[in-house]
Amino acid sequence: MIFFNLKEQTKKLLPLFLGCTLVLSFSCQKIEKTVQVKHSNKKQPNVILFVADDHGKDALGCYGNNVIQTPNLDQLSAQGTTFNNAYCTSASCAASRSVILTGKFGHATGSYGHTHDYHHFSTYENEKSLPLLLEEEGYYTARIGKYHLAPEKVFHFEKTLKADQRNTVQMADKCKPVFESEKPFFLYFCTGDPHRGKSTGPNWYDPNSFGNKREGYKGVETVAYKPEDVIVPSFLPDSKESREELAQYYESVSRIDQGFGRLMDNLKASGKLENTIVIYISDNGVAFPGAKTTLYEPGMNLPCIIRDPFIKEKGNTNDAMISWVDLTPTILDYVGADYKEKAFHGKSFKKAIINQDSTGFNEIFASHIFHEITMYYPMRVVRHNNYKLIYNIAHKLDYPFASDLWVSSTWQQINRSKAKYYGKRTVKDYLERDEFELYDLKKDPDEVVNLANNDNYKEVLENMKERMQTFQEETNDPWKLFWSRDYSLQGTGLDL
C-alpha cells in the first residue's frame, strides 16, 4: 500500500479528481439505462424456460383441443397456472426471443428481425440479457436447442448443450448434467418443433412435414393424426390442404410433449422438481398465414403455462394480460433479485400467479417490424380491456409473406384458385390493410369487423391512439415519427 501526505498532493490530484468526477457524472446518465442486480441471500429456485417454435394455443389439450395428444403439457397445466391472455410482442422468431430475454421491445434494442442468413439483425451490444443477470445472481446458466439471437456476448450462457432440435426427448436427456449443478440453475430449453420444415414438393401442393420423418426419431413415439380429425382454427380455410398440414403440425407438437415429459421425469429424478419454476411458452403463433408474422390473435395470443411448486392451489387459469416483455422481470422477481423496474419495458406478473389476481393486468402492447428483411411491415398494437388497436404503419404496401408461409399448400390453394376468402377474411382484406384496425374482441374474437371508421367508436379510437403514442414515447420507438410525419426526428445522419 502506498501512503502520501494529502496536503502536499492536493494540487497534483485535484485535476485528476475533477476529471474523474466529470467521467462519473457522464456515466451515471448511462447507468440508469442498464440493469443492476443486487444479490439476495434467500434460497433461490431453479428456473426452466421452455420455448417452443411456432406453437399456438390451437394445438394444446389444456387450451381446449380434444383431439391433439399433449398429456405432459396438460399435466403441467393441472399442476400450475394457465394464462388465457399471454402475448408475444412480435410474431417472429428472433425478434420475439430477444424480447423474452431482455424485457425490452425490439424497436428499442435493434432486434428488428431475423439474425440468421442475410437478414443479420442484431441486438445492441450494450444490452444486458436475462442469462447474464442471473449469472450475477449466482446462477448456472445453460441453453439447448434453437438460439436465433445475436450477438453472443449479449445472450451468453455458461453452457451450450447440443442435440437435435426436433428430438425433444434427446434434448431432455442432454440436460441431465444441468440438474446436477450445485448452484441454482437457469435452463433455456428451445425446440425446433413445430416450425415448418423445408417445402416437401415442387408443386407446392404437398403438405409441409413440420419436421416429421417417416422413420421417426430415436426414443420418440410417432403420434400421427388423420386430416379429417383435426380441428381447423377459424382463421384458416377448412380445406383439404389445411387439414393435411394441420395433421403434420399436430404430430410435431406431440413430439414436443414427449420431450417435455422426459424433461420433467429427469428433473424429478434429480430431486429438484419441487424447487424449480417451470415456464412453457411459444415464441409466436402457428406457421400459417393469418397467424405467424401477424399481430392478429392467432399470431400473438399464445400458450403460457407456469408451474410454481410453492403455490398450494393447482390447476389455476388466469385472465391477466401479460406479454413476453414481462418475462425477464418476472423471473428476476422469482429468484429474489433486487432490480430496477424502470430498466425494463415489462413488469413482473409474479403476484398475478401467487394471488391469482389479474387486477392491473388489463393492457398489453406489441411491436413488429420485420420477419425476413424483405418483409418490412411495421405494426404497433395496444390491447386495453376488450379493445385492440392495430396500427399498420406501412399500410400502403401489400402485406408481405414469410417464405415458408407463401409456399405452404394451404396458401397456394387459395392463391392459385383465386379464392375470395381466406378463413373469415377476404383475401383482399388480408393483403390490403387499413391504416388502423380497431376490434372489440369480446364481440368479435376473429377480428373481422374493423371499427376504426365507425362513428360510434370515435372516442374509443382516439383513446387507443393516445395509449399507443404514449407507449411509443416511453419505449423510445423510432417509428413514433409517423404520427406527425416530422422526419427531423430521424436525426442528422452524421456520426457525431
Side-chain angles (χ1 to χ4, degrees), residues 339-356:
Y339 63 92
K340 292 185 177 180
E341 293 183 4
K342 291 184 179 180
F344 303 106
H345 295 151
K347 64 179 180 180
S348 172
F349 56 87
K350 178 184 175 183
K351 67 178 183 180
I353 303 173
I354 293 176
N355 301 326
Q356 292 303 306

Side-chain angles (χ1 to χ4, degrees), residues 101 206 218 274 321 423:
L101 292 184
D206 295 327
K218 186 177 180 180
E274 297 309 317
M321 288 186 204

